[in-house]
Amino acid sequence: MKLTILGSGTCVPYTERGSSGYALETPGARVLLDCGSGTTWKLARAGISYLDIDHIFLSHLHPDHTGDLVPFLFATKYAFGSPYGSKREKPLSLWGGRGFLEFFDALKNAYKDWTLPEGLSVGELGEGERDFGGFTLRAARVPHIESSLAYRIEAEGKTLAYSGDTDYSDALIGLARDADALIIECALPDGESKRSGHLTPGEVIEIANRSGARRIIVTHLYPVCDETGAIEKIRKGVRAEVTEARDLLEIEI
Ligand SMILES: [Zn+2]
Ligand SMILES: [Zn+2]
């Protein structure tokens, strides 16, 4: 599996890091995890055709994880002039957690048919495992907002887990058990900066070590994390390999 980090940041405008988005390429499918603002443009920067994405899995319905959904769908619907061809040739499915169908209806009401490319299907995921043909995906609810899910994807004998946004979570530890890689959020520093619904470096260390994941990829970094050396702190405490997520970084899982 090849992972491309499209956005390693948050809602904060920051030249170093865009909003959340991750492209995962397996032999059988092209997957997007989250679609924050700039994701569609970053796909182009990474040389990945947006017309080739099979599934989009949203971790939750905050704007920094969903803001590029409409631009993505509009570009897909109206592909005229695209370097990747003028028409999408295969189905596209969108998945989110609790409330996603209502959320998508609201987008449809606002943007009419422009959000509805041919071959689109939309669904809500609950907890549990599902086979997508070429990969399996397991979802678990995590403590952030009502729609929040973390994911575990397995393909070709490799496993990738993604925390989405979350507070400390035993469900996430279970989901990331012995994974080849865990993409994990680290929003803000320890101490007074701790915000409910997000992880600090100290909590990332504990989750990483308890999960047994072989590699962790630290992401969703507010600028203050870069300013206060969050990654260095995590590196000192985690037994697994630690990678700092950077926009457009490619990682072989
Ligand atoms: Zn977020
Ligand atoms: Zn969020």
Side-chain angles (χ1 to χ4, degrees):
M1 290 193 278
K2 183 178 151 198
L3 172 70
T4 304
I5 311 286
L6 301 171
S8 59
T10 62
C11 61
V12 175
Y14 185 21
T15 54
E16 303 302 314
R17 302 183 186 281
S19 294
S20 296
Y22 309 88
L24 186 65
E25 297 170 81
T26 73
R30 308 272 187 281
V31 169
L32 262 189
L33 298 169
D34 282 337
C35 195
S37 65
T39 297
T40 310
W41 176 73
K42 290 276 186 46
L43 281 171
R45 284 287 304 272
I48 301 168
S49 167
Y50 66 97
L51 295 175
D52 215 20
I53 300 293
D54 299 289
H55 304 276
I56 300 178
F57 297 101
L58 301 170
S59 65
H60 65 298
L61 302 179
H62 269 159
D64 59 323
H65 299 253
T66 59
D68 232 32
L69 210 45
V70 168
F72 181 95
L73 293 169
F74 183 38
T76 303
K77 168 92 180 178
Y78 188 68
F80 178 76
S82 154
Y84 303 108
S86 58
K87 196 171 183 312
R88 189 182 172 86
E89 303 287 354
K90 55 182 184 173
L92 168 67
S93 61
L94 301 184
W95 300 96
R98 200 173 281 184
F100 181 57
L101 293 179
E102 191 185 337
F103 173 91
F104 193 75
D105 275 346
L107 291 184
K108 271 194 306 195
N109 283 337
Y111 288 100
K112 313 301 178 205
D113 282 359
W114 294 114
T115 56
L116 299 174
E118 236 175 272
L120 178 72
S121 64
V122 179
E124 277 184 22
L125 287 169
E127 291 196 303
E129 188 165 302
R130 201 162 164 151
D131 187 354
F132 284 88
F135 68 97
T136 60
L137 177 132
R138 182 143 61 96
R141 296 192 71 199
V142 287
H144 182 63
I145 60 172
E146 177 73 7
S147 56
S148 290
L149 293 172
Y151 295 121
R152 176 186 177 99
I153 292 176
E154 298 192 40
E156 291 186 292
K158 298 285 184 184
T159 303
L160 173 72
Y162 171 46
S163 69
D165 286 5
T166 184
D167 209 317
Y168 189 87
S169 164
D170 286 327
L172 175 61
I173 292 167
L175 210 60
R177 178 79 55 216
D178 299 327
D180 291 288
L182 163 64
I183 306 171
I184 187 166
E185 77 121 291
C186 179
L188 296 157
D190 287 289
E192 285 179 8
S193 300
K194 163 74 184 173
R195 291 285 178 278
S196 175
H198 284 294
L199 295 171
T200 65
E203 292 166 329
V204 168
I205 290 169
E206 194 173 337
I207 289 173
N209 287 339
R210 284 188 59 201
S211 73
R214 282 182 271 288
R215 178 179 194 171
I216 67 162
I217 300 160
V218 184
T219 193
H220 201 274
L221 295 149
Y222 277 85
V224 67
C225 282
D226 290 333
E227 290 155 15
T228 56
I231 298 290
E232 288 70 31
K233 179 173 179 185
I234 291 168
R235 266 205 184 101
K236 284 187 190 133
V238 171
R239 290 190 289 276
E241 181 183 354
V242 175
T243 300
E244 174 188 347
R246 292 220 160 249
D247 293 18
L248 299 175
L249 178 68
E250 297 176 357
I251 298 168
E252 201 58 48
I253 307 288

